[in-house]
Amino acid sequence: MKRIFLLLTLFVGALSIWASESIAQQNKTWIGTASTDWFDANNWNPAGVPTAGDTVMITTNTANLPANTTVAGLILSGGFLGGSGNLTVTAKLIWTGGTMSGPGATSIPRQGVMNISGDGIKNLSQRSISNAGTVTWTGAGSINSGNGGIISNQANGTFEVQSNATFS
């Protein structure tokens, strides 16, 4: 009987830890109606600045990143991600449209993944993308680069092109 109680206690404890970690991670959508500042909690839905465990979605307006930050995921399908701050995406970045601009960098670490896909045009202006993980480019959407915008593949990084679209 003691053994069953101990196992049940361990199971409930593990379930509690898993639930608290799951609740802490959220999906945040950029609405950008208060300002362009990434760190203004009122620019996000639900309200609150994204944390390292969150996935963020930018579909419209300008998200200006004035300082470095980390998120688990980023979905960029429209709008602008800009600013001087560096953004590290630790798990998965999906880029189907929109613009990355400004003097900062977007970094994909060794365990990270970036999918560039879809028919939408992607713009990379001044900002750099540093890849130490895996990038896969599919779809018909081109990448327009200007003002020094670059994609830099680091040691051990993989960049696979499965597209006939142009990078110019």
Side-chain angles (χ1 to χ4, degrees):
M1 186 67 160
K2 288 181 183 180
R3 190 177 217 182
I4 292 173
F5 179 74
L6 177 62
L7 288 174
L8 185 58
T9 303
L10 290 172
F11 175 75
V12 170
L15 186 60
S16 297
I17 291 170
W18 174 81
S20 67
E21 288 178 1
S22 296
I23 291 170
Q25 298 174 355
Q26 293 188 11
N27 291 330
K28 301 269 189 177
T29 301
W30 175 260
I31 52 176
T33 53
S35 68
T36 63
D37 186 356
W38 177 285
F39 296 104
D40 183 337
N42 295 314
N43 282 321
W44 296 98
N45 183 23
V49 176
T51 62
D54 294 337
T55 295
V56 302
M57 179 183 295
I58 301 172
T59 61
T60 188
N61 295 333
T62 298
N64 183 39
L65 190 61
N68 299 348
T69 196
T70 299
V71 294
L74 169 65
I75 301 167
L76 180 61
S77 61
F80 293 81
L81 170 64
S84 59
N86 297 330
L87 177 64
T88 300
V89 182
T90 58
K92 190 169 194 176
L93 191 161
I94 300 171
W95 190 15
T96 60
T99 299
M100 290 193 214
S101 63
T106 301
S107 298
I108 310 302
R110 188 172 188 168
Q111 72 279 14
V113 172
M114 179 178 185
N115 292 333
I116 305 169
S117 62
D119 295 337
I121 295 172
K122 295 100 183 145
N123 296 298
L124 183 62
S125 177
Q126 192 179 8
R127 193 167 191 86
S128 64
I129 297 173
S130 177
N131 174 45
T134 302
V135 174
T136 305
W137 181 10
T138 61
S142 62
I143 300 174
N144 297 328
S145 176
N147 298 320
I150 61 167
I151 299 175
S152 174
N153 212 44
Q154 305 301 312
N156 298 317
T158 302
F159 192 102
E160 184 174 351
V161 178
Q162 301 174 0
S163 173
N164 290 328
T166 59
F167 183 93
S168 58

